[in-house]
Amino acid sequence: RMTRGGLIRGRIVDSSGAPIAGARVHVSDGSLSIDRSEAVDPVAAARRAVRKRQGFVSDADGRFTATGVPGKSAHLLVLAPRCDGVLLRCVPAGIDDLETVLQPEARLLVQVTDSSTEESVPDAEVVAIRVGAGMSGGTPLSLPVHRVDEDEAVFEIGQVGPALHFVQVTAPGYAPAWLEPDGVAAGKFRLETV
């Protein structure tokens, strides 16, 4: 016999209270495990745990209904473009007024220049990773990188957050360069030149 799962209803808003449409809400039973090495960045750990699950999507008013909630409570991972993810633990099944506030994501801008001419390096490529608890413990998570300006070789790295980061810059004819920038506060950005 199968048991019908519970419901969790709520609304997702930004820091000003405006609804966020298109946010994804992923539901996990109590088996979502985050080890001590990932405690610095539990959202990244939860992201890996639910990456193959579809999730529920918020509507134009930011409202969502998560169905099939196993047991009396569940963990929710709430993700939206340009926002920092939120992991909500032990949300009771049956709640119908859960309001979740998402903060704008922190971003790091990287401008790639030639060290002798200070001109942009047109064929540069950037890879960024976040490590939960330093090189000795956490599992690396690749961060989204996209080129902002073709002519100026400026790249934007999203989902930066407070954890330890490594940025590798490569280009034909140049030695690889590495950055180890500090975290960036939610909703802020910082420009680094390599």
Side-chain angles (χ1 to χ4, degrees):
R1 292 184 179 181
M2 295 185 69
T3 303
R4 185 178 299 268
L7 295 174
I8 295 176
R9 289 188 176 102
R11 187 167 184 248
I12 302 166
V13 298
D14 65 18
S15 55
S16 72
I20 298 177
R24 291 203 169 275
V25 179
H26 299 274
V27 178
S28 175
D29 59 16
S31 67
L32 177 64
S33 63
I34 298 172
D35 65 33
R36 284 189 341 198
S37 69
E38 297 173 311
V40 171
D41 196 353
V43 171
R47 208 182 276 266
R48 280 190 297 281
V50 300
R51 84 177 117 209
K52 292 188 176 148
R53 298 181 191 163
Q54 183 161 351
F56 302 91
V57 179
S58 62
D59 65 16
D61 294 324
R63 299 198 180 284
F64 71 91
T65 299
T67 59
V69 176
K72 295 179 181 180
S73 67
H75 303 310
L76 301 183
L77 175 63
V78 182
L79 303 170
R82 311 299 263 169
C83 293
D84 283 335
V86 172
L87 176 61
L88 305 170
R89 296 176 191 243
C90 300
V91 177
I95 193 167
D96 64 357
D97 61 351
L98 178 68
E99 183 166 285
T100 304
V101 179
L102 298 183
Q103 300 295 323
E105 78 176 347
R107 297 172 301 155
L108 180 65
L109 299 175
V110 176
Q111 182 176 24
V112 183
T113 60
D114 184 296
S115 62
S116 58
T117 66
E118 296 189 11
E119 291 184 17
S120 295
V121 177
D123 295 332
E125 293 187 19
V126 173
V127 174
I129 60 170
R130 176 171 54 201
V131 179
M135 286 305 287
S136 61
T139 304
L141 175 70
S142 180
L143 297 176
V145 177
H146 76 273
R147 194 176 201 119
V148 176
D149 186 325
E150 291 289 331
D151 298 328
E152 296 298 320
V154 176
F155 297 83
E156 179 181 86
I157 303 169
Q159 303 171 3
V160 177
L164 182 61
H165 302 86
F166 296 97
V167 178
Q168 181 185 32
V169 180
T170 58
Y174 291 86
W178 286 89
L179 270 174
E180 294 182 28
D182 294 330
V184 180
K188 304 292 181 185
F189 73 92
R190 186 174 65 236
L191 176 65
E192 298 273 347
T193 301
V194 177

